[in-house]
Amino acid sequence: MNEIVMRLGLEAWKPALGTLLLPPVPALLLVLLGFRLRRRALGTLLMGVAVLALWLGACAGAAEWARQRLLAPPPAVNPAALKALQPAQATIVVLGGGSENLAPEYGTSNLSPWSLERLRYGIWLSRGSGLGLGFSGGVGHAGLPGEAEATVAARIARDEFRHPLRWTESGSRDTRENAARTLALLRTQGITDIVLVTQDWHMPRAQRAFEQAAAAAGMTLRVTPAPIGLAPRVEQPLLRWLPSSEGFTLMRQVLRERIGLLMGA
């Protein structure tokens, strides 16, 4: 499906097309259909299902259950295990998760919370293991004007964390291009091991993309997943089953990633 979208020249529409498949749009369509059939038992049933879907679709407990069942993300990496990797043949790869062209409070571009969290974790792993650190992230399919995400990350790593990146990849627009463009850069450096840093819900698709890109390029590559964001965002038991912004956001990301896996994105 992803190849069809590319061939039709609809890359810029991928975010919008994906949004139509994610909560709350399907449940809202059920509400409209149920209202249209409101004089029948089927209409009442559809509206009941829609209300339940809207409720559970915003609950952290339901989102975390879906994350484990639909994605089965890997556990946290053991930082001590990374010390066994050879710095000449291994590197840490941080995947971008979005940026802002202009953050008024800073007066310049900035990373999104997810990107900043990933960058910080990559720096922490790099300092503890001695491995080089790089960042992959371009401008996305929308192609909006502004700095590439990797350029923003390099500035923040250097100026705020005092830990300069060894390399950046700034031409990619999505996860598949993250993988292909990053490996094209790293293969000339003799890299055979990468430590991949991204959100836990993004890791299954990201790891698959790197392994597929390596196979297509004829590279021997071992990917060590280093997911972040594993802890529950809502810990109080009752609140986990009440609608919240955290639950809604996580459910959307889980379903987005599952759809991406099924569509080959």
Side-chain angles (χ1 to χ4, degrees):
M1 183 64 71
N2 189 71
E3 295 296 336
I4 294 175
V5 171
M6 295 297 189
R7 290 177 182 178
L8 292 176
L10 300 176
E11 298 96 326
W13 289 89
K14 281 182 67 176
L17 293 174
T19 298
L20 295 177
L21 300 175
L22 299 174
V25 176
L28 292 177
L29 292 177
L30 278 181
V31 170
L32 292 176
L33 182 58
F35 182 78
R36 178 69 178 81
L37 302 172
R38 63 187 180 279
R39 297 183 185 278
R40 305 178 189 177
L42 178 60
T44 302
L45 175 62
L46 289 176
M47 286 193 284
V49 170
V51 169
L52 182 62
L54 288 170
W55 184 282
L56 293 178
C59 289
E64 289 160 11
W65 180 90
R67 173 172 58 183
Q68 294 302 320
R69 298 303 185 278
L70 299 179
L71 300 177
V77 69
N78 182 357
L82 303 186
K83 295 182 179 180
L85 299 176
Q86 298 298 320
Q89 298 175 330
T91 188
I92 298 171
V93 178
V94 176
L95 299 185
S99 62
E100 306 171 58
N101 285 336
L102 176 63
E105 62 273 30
Y106 288 104
T108 186
S109 51
N110 192 25
L111 293 177
S112 71
W114 282 333
S115 280
L116 191 58
E117 185 180 29
R118 297 174 191 182
L119 177 63
R120 180 189 174 196
Y121 184 49
I123 290 172
W124 185 77
L125 290 175
S126 178
R127 284 174 171 158
S129 65
L131 297 177
L133 176 66
F135 192 100
S136 174
V139 295
H141 281 290
L144 298 176
E147 287 184 293
E149 190 176 352
T151 304
V152 180
R155 185 186 71 241
I156 292 176
R158 180 190 67 241
D159 297 345
E160 299 182 27
F161 289 97
R162 301 296 187 266
H163 192 87
L165 302 180
R166 290 195 184 176
W167 57 268
T168 58
E169 182 286 303
S170 58
S172 55
R173 299 173 297 175
D174 56 23
T175 302
R176 287 175 47 141
E177 289 190 7
N178 284 148
R181 292 178 178 270
T182 295
L183 295 188
L185 176 66
L186 296 180
R187 70 181 305 175
T188 62
Q189 302 177 21
I191 298 296
T192 58
D193 289 87
I194 66 169
V195 180
L196 190 60
V197 175
T198 188
Q199 243 64 30
D200 65 327
W201 39 258
H202 184 225
M203 186 61 73
R205 188 163 63 90
Q207 184 173 355
R208 185 183 71 174
F210 272 82
E211 291 171 348
Q212 290 179 342
M219 290 180 62
T220 299
L221 182 75
R222 184 175 67 170
V223 179
T224 299
I228 192 168
L230 295 160
R233 297 295 182 180
V234 180
E235 297 183 356
Q236 212 281 338
L238 176 61
L239 295 180
R240 287 163 59 83
W241 294 99
L242 294 178
S244 66
S245 59
E246 293 86 355
F248 180 72
T249 299
L250 179 57
M251 182 64 83
R252 280 177 58 89
Q253 292 304 325
V254 168
L255 295 180
R256 179 179 181 272
E257 290 303 313
R258 185 57 185 169
I259 292 170
L261 285 168
L262 293 175
M263 296 179 64

